[in-house]
Amino acid sequence: MSARDFHLVMIKPTHYDDDGYPIQWLRSAIPSNTLASLNGLAEAARDRHALGEEVRIHLHTFDETNKRVRPAHIAAQIRKQGGRALIALVGVQSNQFPRATDLARKFMAEGLPTAIGGFHVSGCISMLDEMPADMVGLQQEGVSYFAGEAEDRRLDMVLRDAFNGTLKPLYDFMADLPSLGGEPTPILPSRHIQFTAGSHSSFDLGRGCPFQCSFCTIINVQGRKSRFRSADDLERIIRENHAQGINRFFITDDNFARNREWDSLFDRLILLREKEKFDIKFIIQVDTLCHRIDGFIEKATRAGVNRVFIGLENINPDNLLAAKKRQNKITEYREMLQKWRAHGATTYAGYIIGFPGDTKEAVLRDVEIIKKELPLDLLEFFYLTPLPGSEDHKVLLSKGTWMDPDLNKYDLNHRVTHHPKMSDAEWEEAYREAWQNYYSDAHIETVLRRAAAHGKGRPGNKLFLMMWFKLMVECEGVHPLEGGYFRLKVRSDRRVGLPGEHPVPFYARYLAEIVSKHWAYLSAVWRVYRIYRRVKASPDRRNYTDLAIAPMDGTLEEDLAMIRETRGGTEAVARQVRDAALRKAGKDRARAATPS
């Protein structure tokens, strides 16, 4: 190799745990969508000789959740092979920015040009009048930033500048978000998949969201105008991934139900599944009104959607209104979840703790209501977090309100500000006890009984998923979506600024953690597996029912505690009654005006 060789090293960084060690696993949960997208764009740039016919582009990809990143080793390999290089830290979220900063400085010390892109950079550029001081300092050290999206051959511009030694301090494309149609396939080399949960990968079919939730960064990073890939794009993504043994996918669109091409996209998947016998399954994200779209749930499950994540967020209408999440109607929750259940889909929901009206007692009360009245399978809890790039963050910053300066904590799993009604301790207790109460043995049994009562319920799958969520939180102290199998720790990779530990106590503690965690895993799994066997063996399991799965009787169900316990709930029912009466009156007038 020579100076006519160019190395693009794409790294998706992890973030640090509370002890300062990178969160890394022997096998992580799901491959990075951003890494797949950037790798697909880079492969296309390489194939069309974006740096000229005489320049060979070499691509290197690292997902730090399952692969250790050693800057000195990478730099030595590049020097040995020869050529120029760019280190690209991609898809960096706010909680990953401290880790990305530490890695960037190490690569810069090795003489390698380095750039950082992702939601943190894009969100700050989009929403703040001035770049945060830590970003400014890193930029002054020579690190470049990329804000926006790299489609439409924008990556080519960065590669050319890096190759010519003229990398700009900032590439800002936030005002010009590109179309997705016809763009290269998001794909990762198959070697990445073997270090994840298996034959899983992820991609997006649309970006942007029309809603205005104040806690959300997507609307300010990807825009409020939705952009989509075509059915042909989707088929190409499936075929290219399927060719290397990948048949399970997470479609990362924030709200697939608002993709105006959902019908043609599902039709193409149905064709692949039913005519060509592709064994493919999907996880999608939707809103709480998706069941009102005629045929959406039916086609989704026929197309292979067997898990669906729903942005429930809260069951208190006053909280939803405060967060500008006006599209969520709690009077629709139960019917919507029952429809997904009827078609055999496993339902996940996100639930945010820390809205202004919350108290510890109200949060725990609402969790009990959800357990009793909604046929949810999995519930994920999050702290209300003012993420950089969100309206909440901008408002608090403008008011001078305290926010934790350590971005590593902005993972939705740590409290980073104060609450107007709860003390810090109460807020943390509410969060911790919400997880414990929902994933209690008693409620796990309830979910298993609901699943066993339905022909498409898959109670074994429910058992696995609930135990995954329970054990990641209780044993590993991480959110389930950033979890994995067998935690890896390297003593020398500790966060910059924290003291290095002596090998003897470090490895003694690490070994003790491994033993105690696996004992906790085995104990919990054996205990709950016995519940599962009892449920499966019950001769009348098909006859089980409870309030959550009882048939809808066509009434407004004002007696539900979810409705009755909040002022907003009773007002929502009153509006629904009023709207129904107005619709009926309109129909009556129309009939009266129609000649017989």
Side-chain angles (χ1 to χ4, degrees):
M1 296 189 183
S2 68
R4 310 314 293 172
D5 291 281
F6 182 78
H7 301 267
L8 175 59
V9 182
M10 294 167 282
I11 301 169
K12 179 64 169 77
T14 183
H15 78 115
Y16 296 109
D17 64 17
D18 291 340
D19 293 324
Y21 293 100
I23 298 175
Q24 193 172 79
W25 311 91
L26 186 64
R27 285 181 178 270
S28 57
I30 297 177
S32 164
N33 176 58
T34 302
L35 195 60
S37 294
L38 263 293
N39 183 66
L41 295 174
E43 286 185 354
R46 179 193 61 193
D47 294 345
R48 65 172 175 268
H49 304 287
L51 297 181
E53 293 286 341
E54 72 283 2
V55 179
R56 292 170 293 188
I57 299 177
H58 308 275
L59 305 179
H60 314 269
T61 51
F62 295 82
D63 185 344
E64 204 186 14
T65 63
N66 56 50
K67 188 174 183 180
R68 188 182 176 205
V69 174
R70 295 180 288 174
H73 177 77
I74 292 171
Q77 288 296 108
I78 291 172
R79 284 192 290 267
K80 180 179 179 181
Q81 295 173 1
R84 299 168 185 172
L86 172 65
I87 307 299
L89 295 158
V90 306
V92 178
Q93 299 172 11
S94 293
N95 67 88
Q96 297 158 349
F97 192 75
R99 176 61 179 166
T101 296
D102 290 347
L103 289 174
R105 285 181 170 138
K106 291 178 180 179
F107 281 114
M108 292 290 289
E110 296 288 344
L112 294 174
T114 303
I116 298 177
F119 261 68
H120 182 70
V121 170
S122 297
C124 290
I125 296 295
S126 172
M127 292 295 286
L128 302 181
D129 296 331
E130 297 180 353
M131 192 183 294
D134 55 350
M135 286 181 61
V136 172
L138 196 60
Q139 189 181 52
Q140 290 173 346
E141 295 175 36
V143 173
S144 296
Y145 294 124
F146 186 98
E149 298 169 5
E151 282 80 9
D152 198 21
R153 301 197 178 186
R154 293 167 183 178
L155 180 62
D156 295 18
M157 180 192 308
V158 179
L159 298 183
R160 284 194 296 269
D161 288 351
F163 183 74
N164 294 323
T166 57
L167 205 61
K168 297 179 177 65
L170 173 65
Y171 294 85
D172 183 2
F173 294 104
M174 291 306 300
D176 184 20
L177 299 175
S179 169
L180 299 181
E183 288 290 342
T185 298
I187 194 166
L188 284 171
S190 57
R191 67 177 182 274
H192 278 271
I193 308 306
Q194 65 182 321
F195 294 110
T196 63
S199 54
H200 286 72
S201 192
S202 59
F203 58 87
D204 58 15
L205 291 174
R207 296 177 193 162
C209 180
F211 297 126
Q212 301 181 35
C213 309
S214 65
F215 54 79
C216 183
T217 60
I218 289 173
I219 55 178
N220 303 313
V221 172
Q222 296 185 342
R224 289 189 169 90
K225 182 179 179 181
S226 298
R227 298 158 287 131
F228 309 108
R229 300 186 196 269
S230 69
D232 289 340
D233 295 329
L234 170 60
E235 181 173 344
R236 186 179 69 252
I237 291 170
I238 298 300
R239 289 188 182 278
E240 291 184 17
N241 278 280
H242 196 269
Q244 57 179 13
I246 301 169
N247 58 10
R248 299 292 185 268
F249 302 92
F250 176 27
I251 300 177
T252 61
D253 299 31
D254 185 58
N255 187 353
F256 193 83
R258 300 303 142 190
N259 187 321
R260 64 171 181 262
E261 304 297 331
W262 69 265
D263 201 20
S264 63
L265 295 170
F266 283 153
D267 282 343
R268 190 64 62 91
L269 293 175
I270 290 169
L271 188 66
L272 289 172
R273 280 170 52 83
E274 296 182 357
K275 184 176 180 180
E276 300 196 37
K277 306 302 179 185
F278 274 49
D279 177 22
I280 47 178
K281 297 288 178 62
F282 301 90
I283 306 172
I284 64 172
Q285 302 182 100
V286 297
D287 59 37
T288 59
L289 294 177
C290 60
H291 64 298
R292 293 298 184 191
I293 304 173
D294 187 38
F296 181 84
I297 291 178
E298 293 78 4
K299 275 201 171 183
T301 50
R302 189 177 164 198
V305 173
N306 65 344
R307 300 185 196 174
V308 56
F309 181 89
I310 303 154
L312 201 72
E313 316 306 9
N314 211 267
I315 63 169
N316 187 325
D318 297 330
N319 283 340
L320 294 170
L321 188 61
K324 297 185 179 180
K325 200 170 182 70
R326 299 176 178 87
Q327 67 271 24
N328 276 26
K329 313 295 183 186
I330 68 168
T331 51
E332 305 276 351
Y333 284 3
R334 187 162 171 263
E335 180 182 358
M336 175 267 300
L337 290 166
Q338 285 197 1
K339 284 190 175 181
W340 281 112
R341 178 177 181 271
H343 286 82
T346 297
T347 51
Y348 301 66
Y351 199 84
I352 297 174
I353 297 174
F355 285 117
D358 278 341
T359 63
K360 178 183 175 182
E361 294 73 20
V363 167
L364 298 181
R365 176 205 65 195
D366 289 350
V367 171
E368 293 304 314
I369 291 173
I370 291 171
K371 288 162 60 177
K372 181 181 179 182
E373 298 183 353
L374 294 181
L376 261 176
D377 299 315
L378 296 136
L379 192 57
E380 304 175 41
F381 298 98
F382 305 98
Y383 282 102
L384 181 63
T385 302
L387 291 170
S390 69
E391 181 185 342
D392 284 353
H393 178 268
K394 184 174 183 177
V395 168
L396 293 183
L397 191 65
S398 67
K399 292 180 177 179
T401 303
W402 180 84
M403 293 181 283
D404 198 305
D406 184 2
L407 287 173
N408 190 69
K409 295 179 180 179
Y410 285 67
D411 58 358
L412 313 184
N413 199 34
H414 289 80
R415 178 192 57 78
V416 297
T417 189
H418 304 306
H419 192 271
K421 289 187 176 180
M422 293 184 280
S423 68
D424 293 349
E426 287 174 329
W427 195 0
E428 291 167 359
E429 288 167 3
Y431 178 80
R432 185 170 57 252
E433 291 178 26
W435 278 106
Q436 293 171 350
N437 293 353
Y438 191 84
Y439 291 93
S440 65
D441 288 1
H443 188 60
I444 290 174
E445 180 171 355
T446 297
V447 172
L448 294 180
R449 288 193 178 280
R450 290 172 182 167
H454 193 281
K456 299 179 180 179
R458 299 181 297 152
N461 177 259
K462 303 291 192 295
L463 173 69
F464 171 79
L465 292 171
M466 292 197 81
M467 291 308 293
W468 176 274
F469 275 53
K470 176 184 177 70
L471 295 174
M472 285 300 104
V473 173
E474 290 185 359
C475 297
E476 300 290 352
V478 300
H479 190 275
L481 294 185
E482 65 177 4
Y485 170 71
F486 199 91
R487 176 68 195 278
L488 301 176
K489 286 186 181 182
V490 178
R491 184 178 64 89
S492 58
D493 286 349
R494 197 174 198 190
R495 185 176 183 178
V496 173
L498 293 178
E501 295 191 74
H502 190 277
V504 173
F506 173 82
Y507 287 108
R509 187 175 69 254
Y510 182 34
L511 178 60
E513 287 177 2
I514 293 171
V515 172
S516 62
K517 287 176 183 178
H518 282 76
W519 176 252
Y521 291 158
L522 290 172
S523 301
V525 169
W526 173 241
R527 185 181 69 250
V528 176
Y529 182 68
R530 286 184 293 172
I531 296 174
Y532 166 76
R533 290 180 61 183
R534 185 171 68 248
V535 169
K536 285 281 288 183
S538 175
D540 63 344
R541 64 184 182 276
R542 297 290 192 207
N543 297 323
Y544 174 81
T545 189
D546 59 28
L547 179 59
I549 62 174
M552 301 287 290
D553 60 7
T555 70
L556 295 172
E557 302 188 81
E558 298 95 329
D559 59 327
L560 291 179
M562 184 175 64
I563 304 296
R564 192 178 62 247
E565 293 290 333
T566 62
R567 182 190 65 186
T570 55
E571 291 176 352
V573 168
R575 284 194 301 271
Q576 194 164 341
V577 171
R578 184 172 62 251
D579 292 345
L582 290 173
R583 286 194 298 270
K584 182 178 184 302
K587 291 178 181 178
D588 291 344
R589 286 194 298 271
R591 280 195 297 268
T594 302
S596 57

